[in-house]
Amino acid sequence: MKVIASSLRKGNIVDLDGKLYVVLTAENIHPGKGTPVTQLDMRRLSDGVKSSQRYKTTDQVERAHVEEREYQYLYQDGDGFHFMNMESYEQVAAPEDVIGDLAVYLQPEMKCKLSVHEGVVVAIELPQRVVLEVVETEPAMKGQTASSSYKPAVLSNGLRTGVPPHIGVGTRIVVSTADGTYVERAKD
């Protein structure tokens, strides 16, 4: 399906010269003089090679047909990360380079959106927030109630983040999967 270059967003899959690329960043540039252009940073799915392309915003680009479905995370092994389709119970394995830095947030039975092209997982979208437990942090200092400073903490998945002074070891907190920052204390 052909689309104009300016409509492409991060995570879209495009077909260039018979090869599939995932869009890492898409930036529309409007110079003071001249035609506006769309700058795309992409990664080739077959071998992970990164490339950068510039298109006029009106240029047509072939967008690959990708199925987005909800899957449940099962486990990780030498073949990658295994997910199950909740409707058909079919399992797919996602390679480590597709999951990337998001691997630390994956928890058994977590529901994720996977983008699948011809049976191959090409992208993943996690929930915006996950609940994790604090396993290591400094004890709270007495009288430090009014300050808005955060103290370092290590979470159950090994991630390091900053938490407010009142959060102690064993407390379950909500963390943003986009940048790993503290959101709030878990309500469970």
Side-chain angles (χ1 to χ4, degrees):
M1 170 174 80
K2 292 249 186 212
V3 295
I4 58 171
S6 61
S7 70
L8 291 174
R9 299 285 172 259
K10 178 181 178 180
N12 288 162
I13 310 293
V14 293
D15 188 343
L16 300 175
D17 306 322
K19 291 188 170 46
L20 292 179
Y21 291 82
V22 63
V23 176
L24 302 174
T25 61
E27 186 179 7
N28 292 319
I29 302 165
H30 301 277
K33 194 174 183 183
T35 51
V37 293
T38 300
Q39 172 81 32
L40 297 177
D41 289 331
M42 304 176 288
R43 186 179 73 234
R44 193 165 44 217
L45 293 173
S46 58
D47 54 10
V49 172
K50 289 186 179 177
S51 69
S52 187
Q53 295 270 5
R54 269 191 174 186
Y55 296 98
K56 290 181 186 160
T57 50
T58 55
D59 284 354
Q60 298 280 315
V61 180
E62 185 69 33
R63 190 166 161 196
H65 175 68
V66 175
E67 268 186 60
E68 277 196 10
R69 278 220 185 106
E70 192 170 89
Y71 283 78
Q72 183 180 43
Y73 174 64
L74 298 174
Y75 62 92
Q76 176 190 7
D77 66 7
D79 297 333
F81 297 84
H82 295 265
F83 296 86
M84 180 176 66
N85 184 329
M86 297 304 292
E87 295 156 15
S88 65
Y89 301 108
E90 120 194 30
Q91 292 187 18
V92 294
E96 286 189 34
D97 60 332
V98 170
I99 308 297
D101 299 338
L102 300 175
V104 295
Y105 299 111
L106 285 174
Q107 300 169 348
E109 299 182 15
M110 175 186 270
K111 301 221 182 339
C112 311
K113 269 200 180 119
L114 293 183
S115 300
V116 180
H117 177 75
E118 296 177 0
V120 179
V121 178
V122 293
I124 183 171
E125 187 181 317
L126 293 182
Q128 290 182 336
R129 299 171 171 185
V130 293
V131 176
L132 297 167
E133 189 175 325
V134 176
V135 293
E136 185 184 314
T137 188
E138 300 165 2
M141 300 292 280
K142 211 173 181 80
Q144 204 184 25
T145 54
S147 74
S148 62
S149 63
Y150 281 1
K151 61 184 182 177
V154 178
L155 306 178
S156 55
N157 63 354
L159 186 74
R160 292 182 172 278
T161 190
V163 296
H166 67 273
I167 301 291
V169 173
T171 307
R172 292 171 52 79
I173 62 170
V174 177
V175 176
S176 164
T177 56
D179 53 8
T181 55
Y182 169 85
V183 177
E184 63 185 1
R185 182 181 237 157
K187 294 182 172 53
D188 51 28

